[in-house]
Amino acid sequence: MEVNYEKEKKTLNIEITEEIDHHYADKLRRKIDNEITRYMPRKTIFDFNRVSFMDSAGIGMIIGRYKMMKLIGGDLEIKNANESVNKILEMSGIKKIIKIA
Amino acid sequence: MKSVYDNEMKLEFLSKSNNEAFARITVAAFASQLDPTIEELADIKTAVSEAVTNAIIHGYEDAEGIVKVTARIFANTIEVEISDTGKGIENIDLARKPLYTTKANLERSGMGFTIMESFMDEVQIESVLGLGTKIKMKKMIKKIPLNEEMQELARQYRRQIS
Ligand SMILES: Nc1ncnc2c1ncn2[C@@H]1O[C@H](COP(=O)(O)OP(=O)(O)OP(=O)(O)O)[C@@H](O)[C@H]1O
Ligand SMILES: [Mg+2]
C-alpha cells in the first residue's frame, strides 16, 4: 500500500498494491484506518491499478471505509479497477453508492 | 484403477488465512490446462477464494482444522469441491441469499455465495450442523456459440447416439 496526501485538496490517495482477499483485507483495513484518522481527509481515493484480484472481502473493506469517510463528512472514490474487480464492484451494488472513476 | 475423469488433484491444508491465495492459485493453475480465457480463470479463482475463506472463517472460526480441495476435469468442465469439518450451516437457503451474513460485525458483506453462483455454472451446498460443509462447483470452459452448420452437426450426432 502506498500513501500520498495532497494537503491543499485535503485528498488522501491510497494505492493498493496487493490482492484483496480475507487475509490481506484485515491488514489493509487497519493500515487505511490509521491514515484516515491521521489526515482526516475530505476525500479518499483508492487506486486499484495494481490490484489483480479481489473477492467479497474487498467489498466489506470498501463499504467499511466508505462509512468511515461519511462519518467524518468526507467521501470515497475508487479508480483504475480492472475488469474482474469491476465485475465484483458491480455485483455488490458498490457502484451505486461510490464513485468509480 | 482408471479414473472416469480426465484429470484430478487434491489439496489439504490448515485453515490459515494465508492459504487462501495458495488454494486459488493452485486450482487456477490446474484449470489452465482447459485453456480458459482470462475472465474464466478469474471467475474460478474468485469462487475458490470465497469457498475456502468461508471454510476458514465460518467453518472453523478461531479453531484450526483441515480444508480439503479436490478439482477434477472432465471434457471441458472443471469441478471443484471444497470441504471443512467445522461447525456446519444452520440454514442453507438463508446462507445463499445475497447480503446474508452471520458476521456483519467483522465487515463481511454476505456476498460470498452470490459470487460463487454467478461466477460458476453450478454450485451445490451440503452441510450438516456440527459435522461440516462441502461446496461443489462446476464450470464449463469455452462455451463457444455454435454456428448454424455446427448446430446441425450436433443435432445429427445426438440423433445417432440416442
Ligand atoms: N463453510 C461454512 N461453514 C459454516 N458456515 C458457513 C460456511 N460457509 C458459509 N457459511 C454461512 O453462510 C453465510 C453466508 O456466506 P457468504 O459467503 O455468502 O457470506 P459471508 O462469508 O458472511 O460474507 P462475505 O463472503 O461477503 O465476506 C455466512 O455468514 C455463514 O453463516
Ligand atoms: Mg463468505
Side-chain angles (χ1 to χ4, degrees):
Chain A
M1 184 180 111
E2 276 161 34
V3 180
N4 160 274
Y5 184 64
E6 292 174 273
K7 215 170 165 186
E8 327 74 59
K9 290 200 217 154
K10 290 197 161 204
T11 297
L12 178 62
N13 296 290
I14 296 182
E15 187 179 6
I16 301 170
T17 52
E18 277 171 71
E19 304 199 325
I20 310 177
D21 59 8
H22 154 251
H23 178 70
Y24 184 56
D26 283 345
K27 292 190 184 126
L28 197 56
R29 173 178 294 137
R30 253 175 285 134
K31 287 206 231 169
I32 293 175
D33 288 356
N34 271 340
E35 300 297 336
I36 292 178
T37 41
R38 177 164 157 209
Y39 293 110
M40 299 300 268
R42 194 164 294 153
K43 196 197 271 179
T44 295
I45 303 175
F46 288 164
D47 187 344
F48 270 53
N49 187 37
R50 281 152 81 182
V51 178
S52 57
F53 176 87
M54 183 180 96
D55 65 16
S56 66
I59 303 172
M61 190 282 292
I62 293 169
I63 292 175
R65 288 339 99 211
Y66 169 76
K67 285 184 183 160
M68 187 167 183
M69 285 308 296
K70 286 286 154 190
L71 207 68
I72 62 167
D75 222 335
L76 178 70
E77 274 181 37
I78 294 173
K79 66 176 185 188
N80 297 330
N82 76 14
E83 219 165 297
S84 62
V85 171
N86 234 325
K87 227 162 114 177
I88 307 253
L89 294 176
E90 206 149 304
M91 265 189 62
S92 63
I94 282 182
K95 276 197 147 169
K96 283 182 215 137
I97 55 167
I98 295 173
K99 190 175 158 203
I100 316 275
Chain B
M1 195 188 76
K2 192 161 175 1
S3 169
V4 297
Y5 296 101
D6 295 330
N7 205 352
E8 180 168 4
M9 72 94 169
K10 286 190 165 106
L11 283 180
E12 285 187 20
F13 50 86
L14 278 181
S15 58
K16 289 179 180 290
S17 67
N18 55 356
N19 284 330
E20 291 157 5
F22 162 70
R24 66 174 176 264
I25 289 164
T26 308
V27 175
F30 182 75
S32 67
Q33 58 196 285
L34 286 175
D35 201 18
T37 62
I38 291 170
E39 189 180 1
E40 286 166 332
L41 211 53
D43 290 352
I44 293 168
K45 256 190 182 175
T46 313
V48 169
S49 194
E50 295 297 346
V52 168
T53 302
N54 280 353
I56 294 172
I57 64 178
H58 302 299
Y60 294 118
E61 291 192 300
D62 300 321
E64 205 162 78
I66 302 280
V67 181
K68 289 187 188 174
V69 177
T70 305
R72 303 184 184 99
I73 282 172
F74 183 69
N76 60 342
T77 297
I78 178 154
E79 190 179 293
V80 190
E81 250 174 54
I82 291 147
S83 63
D84 64 72
T85 54
K87 69 171 197 177
I89 300 176
E90 204 169 313
N91 184 333
I92 294 177
D93 289 337
L94 205 55
R96 277 181 186 264
K97 292 220 162 80
L99 306 178
Y100 177 82
T101 178
T102 49
K103 285 200 165 37
N105 54 326
L106 294 176
E107 291 193 349
R108 311 311 308 174
S109 64
M111 289 299 289
F113 278 127
T114 309
I115 289 175
M116 288 182 242
E117 273 166 358
S118 72
F119 286 11
M120 303 294 275
D121 295 325
E122 204 183 304
V123 178
Q124 276 170 263
I125 307 171
E126 287 168 33
S127 190
V128 181
L129 265 188
L131 288 182
T133 302
K134 185 191 267 184
I135 310 296
K136 212 169 164 175
M137 310 186 274
K138 281 185 192 170
K139 189 177 183 71
M140 201 197 274
I141 299 304
K142 288 229 175 63
K143 288 183 281 189
I144 304 166
L146 300 179
N147 62 25
E148 267 310 310
E149 192 185 350
M150 290 303 284
Q151 280 178 22
E152 181 50 33
L153 278 173
R155 272 194 292 273
Q156 282 176 15
Y157 176 70
R158 273 198 297 271
R159 244 177 275 132
Q160 265 176 33
I161 59 169
S162 66

